[in-house]
Amino acid sequence: MQLVFIRHGEPNYEIDSLTQEGFLEADLLAKRIVAQKWPITDIFCSPLGRAQDTAHPTLKALGRAAETCPWLREFGCGDFTPPDGSRAFKSVPWDFYPDYWTGDPLLCNRDQWTQADVMQLMPQNVAQRFAEVTNGLDSILARYGYHRENGYYRVDADAQKDAMLVFFCHLGLTGAACGHLLNVAPPVLWHGFFLPASSVTVLNTEQRQPDIAGFRCQVMGDTQHLRANDREVSPMGAFGPLFNG
């Protein structure tokens, strides 16, 4: 099985849509998908406008429809004012300065990251939101014969092992979903990997035992559709300046 997470194009957050460049990115992505003949089984999409607008050119080109999933919306937890000394900023449960998040061992713990002090300060329950994401993802995987069990997936005899599932979503959501699939604390992925606008992240299953599968990341934050068309990667979502060489 192959899971493809696509971050929306360069966003215009004020109107929950895309910038002019973002619409171009979405068009180039659709052309890439068609040209490469992705063997897509099903497509899922966040309900937010910027993800819907990114998916639209692909859906139109393929003559397909996407299933909109509320749990695929961005992984935000309400307006957040950091406490003195936390050195965190923005209204999301990531985007912390390096010396802050690395200084709290709970934030790197797969099972306890939602219990970190800063997560407890969020106006919305981070553990509950994470459970919404993981339950939503696992319910979809179960449709194709993959059932979560102790950090891996039990595979049905008639599982759709050649399925490719595409998710149009967001930077934070992708980090949360991949953390679950790879058994890594999401803050490690949020801070350690940059997912550019319209980028492609791919996870494949590997089945080394008869009925047990695990996920491995094949590529994260790929933007070949931009590079091939001489478009620079947008800095939206980066914590610092980008090198576009």
Side-chain angles (χ1 to χ4, degrees), residues 49-148:
R50 52 195 184 271
Q52 295 274 333
D53 290 341
T54 302
H56 178 72
T58 294
L59 298 175
K60 182 178 179 180
L62 298 177
R64 302 282 295 272
E67 178 180 335
T68 297
C69 302
W71 62 268
L72 276 173
R73 70 189 186 278
E74 182 57 299
F75 198 85
C77 289
D79 293 333
F80 171 59
T81 302
D84 292 342
S86 74
R87 303 189 68 187
F89 57 102
K90 293 189 177 180
S91 60
V92 292
W94 67 86
D95 207 348
F96 303 112
Y97 286 115
D99 65 341
Y100 178 75
W101 79 269
T102 58
D104 187 341
L106 287 183
L107 288 174
C108 297
N109 187 296
R110 182 193 73 173
D111 301 312
Q112 297 179 308
W113 68 273
T114 62
Q115 300 173 29
D117 288 344
V118 70
M119 296 299 172
Q120 300 301 311
L121 296 172
M122 300 290 170
Q124 296 177 16
N125 190 302
V126 177
Q128 183 176 338
R129 175 70 180 109
F130 185 58
E132 180 186 18
V133 172
T134 59
N135 290 338
L137 181 57
D138 286 341
S139 69
I140 286 179
L141 295 181
R143 300 182 196 176
Y144 303 87
Y146 290 78
H147 306 274
R148 182 81 172 187

Side-chain angles (χ1 to χ4, degrees), residues 10-74:
E10 184 176 76
N12 181 335
Y13 289 117
E14 292 184 0
I15 59 173
D16 187 24
S17 183
L18 304 177
T19 63
Q20 182 177 357
E21 184 67 19
F23 282 109
L24 175 60
E25 292 171 350
D27 287 338
L28 293 175
L29 175 66
K31 291 176 180 177
R32 167 186 177 179
I33 291 172
V34 171
Q36 295 179 348
K37 298 180 180 180
W38 288 14
I40 298 173
T41 306
D42 287 306
I43 302 173
F44 305 87
C45 191
S46 159
L48 299 185
R50 52 195 184 271
Q52 295 274 333
D53 290 341
T54 302
H56 178 72
T58 294
L59 298 175
K60 182 178 179 180
L62 298 177
R64 302 282 295 272
E67 178 180 335
T68 297
C69 302
W71 62 268
L72 276 173
R73 70 189 186 278
E74 182 57 299

Side-chain angles (χ1 to χ4, degrees), residues 166-183:
V166 176
F167 301 85
F168 285 88
C169 51
H170 308 267
L171 185 157
L173 188 287
T174 299
C178 289
H180 176 62
L181 294 168
L182 301 173
N183 294 302

